[in-house]
Amino acid sequence: MGHTFTVPTGTVASAAGTWQEGRMPTPDPAPSPKSPTGGGALFVLALFAGIVIGFLLGQTTIGFLAGAAIGIAINLWLLWRDRQ
């Protein structure tokens, strides 16, 4: 119960040899001109379009599934195209 804590004087992490004195690393080289294409937005767009069209036709679940299938197909096509 009789613990004594001493409070250090000065600053905590600005003494010589701390991490603040180090230089930042050099940045990575520029990305390759053929960077991969993301397809998440296209998937969501196809999914949403399928839901809306399915709702208008009275078949929301089928529209959802069709939109998901089209979105997956678009993403597989983008993956195939980026691999070439």
Side-chain angles (χ1 to χ4, degrees), residues 35-53:
S35 58
T37 305
L42 294 174
F43 175 75
V44 172
L45 184 65
L47 190 65
F48 185 70
I51 291 171
V52 170
I53 292 170

Side-chain angles (χ1 to χ4, degrees), residues 6-83:
T6 57
V7 178
T9 58
T11 57
V12 177
S14 62
T18 57
W19 63 271
Q20 283 98 343
E21 291 182 355
R23 299 259 182 228
M24 290 185 66
T26 58
D28 292 335
S32 67
K34 188 176 180 180
S35 58
T37 305
L42 294 174
F43 175 75
V44 172
L45 184 65
L47 190 65
F48 185 70
I51 291 171
V52 170
I53 292 170
F55 177 76
L56 294 174
L57 298 175
Q59 297 292 331
T60 309
T61 304
I62 293 175
F64 171 80
L65 294 173
I70 291 170
I72 290 170
I74 290 171
N75 279 307
L76 289 174
W77 176 76
L78 287 174
L79 179 66
W80 174 77
R81 190 188 70 174
D82 285 342
R83 298 273 175 149

